[in-house]
Amino acid sequence: MIGLYAVTAIAFLISLLIDRERTIKAVKIGWKKFTKILPGYLKILMILSVVLLVPNEIIARYLGESSSYFGIIVAGIFGSITMMPGFIAYPLAGVFLDQGVSYMVIAAFVTTLMMVGVATYPVEKQYFGKRSTIIRNVTAFGIAMIIALSMGLFYGELI
């Protein structure tokens, strides 16, 4: 990591020597983008911190291997009502995996998180209509469950 910082610092200094104005303009643009992304990264840290505070026994009890079907349903419901982008969900899935949660349950969580939008229902209903929104979300939940069960079959967690 220190090597990466050193390379970045050297590249920055070379850029400053070549064209000072463009370098400062690029830093300003980068700072603007960083401040836009920062709240998302802070959410990652908060969610990961909360998950890390939950004892492994509780996660294993509700989402672990011994409760595979119940874990799929819980993860599917939790993923459906939660709203977070993939760059937050994937590290969180890694934390779940480290704590002994099965691939099948993680697949249920991540796929419902990406495909089902209970939190975004009011906005979606406004653009696509109530019926279309409900059909899309129910269908997406069903497909997410099929994907989770397929992952369970693939990794041998169902047999």
Side-chain angles (χ1 to χ4, degrees):
M1 193 68 167
I2 292 173
L4 186 62
Y5 289 138
V7 169
T8 304
I10 291 169
F12 178 73
L13 290 174
I14 290 171
S15 179
L16 266 177
L17 291 174
I18 293 174
D19 191 343
R20 185 181 172 90
E21 279 185 37
R22 287 182 71 186
T23 303
I24 291 173
K25 185 178 175 184
V27 168
K28 286 180 181 177
I29 291 170
W31 179 253
K32 243 182 185 178
K33 289 189 184 256
F34 174 73
T35 56
K36 274 187 172 180
I37 294 173
L38 186 60
Y41 282 115
L42 290 176
K43 285 179 189 174
I44 292 173
L45 292 175
M46 288 188 306
I47 290 170
L48 291 178
S49 300
V50 169
V51 170
L52 291 174
L53 291 175
V54 176
N56 293 348
E57 298 81 28
I58 292 176
I59 292 175
R61 184 180 339 143
Y62 291 108
L63 300 177
E65 291 180 23
S66 62
S67 61
S68 57
Y69 293 109
F70 179 70
I72 289 175
I73 299 298
V74 170
I77 291 170
F78 185 65
S80 296
I81 60 174
T82 308
M83 190 174 129
M84 65 179 84
F87 68 88
I88 296 174
Y90 299 133
L92 183 60
V95 170
F96 285 158
L97 188 62
D98 290 342
Q99 295 186 354
V101 176
S102 67
Y103 287 105
M104 182 171 59
V105 172
I106 292 171
F109 173 70
V110 172
T111 52
T112 53
L113 190 65
M114 297 296 151
M115 296 168 56
V116 181
V118 172
T120 58
Y121 174 79
V123 176
E124 190 175 342
K125 182 181 82 173
Q126 188 177 5
Y127 288 101
F128 301 118
K130 183 179 179 181
R131 184 169 187 247
S132 172
T133 300
I134 290 172
I135 289 172
R136 191 202 67 75
N137 279 300
V138 169
T139 305
F141 189 84
I143 291 170
M145 294 296 108
I146 291 169
I147 290 170
L149 292 172
S150 301
M151 293 294 286
L153 283 173
F154 183 77
Y155 283 104
E157 295 169 340
L158 280 179
I159 300 171

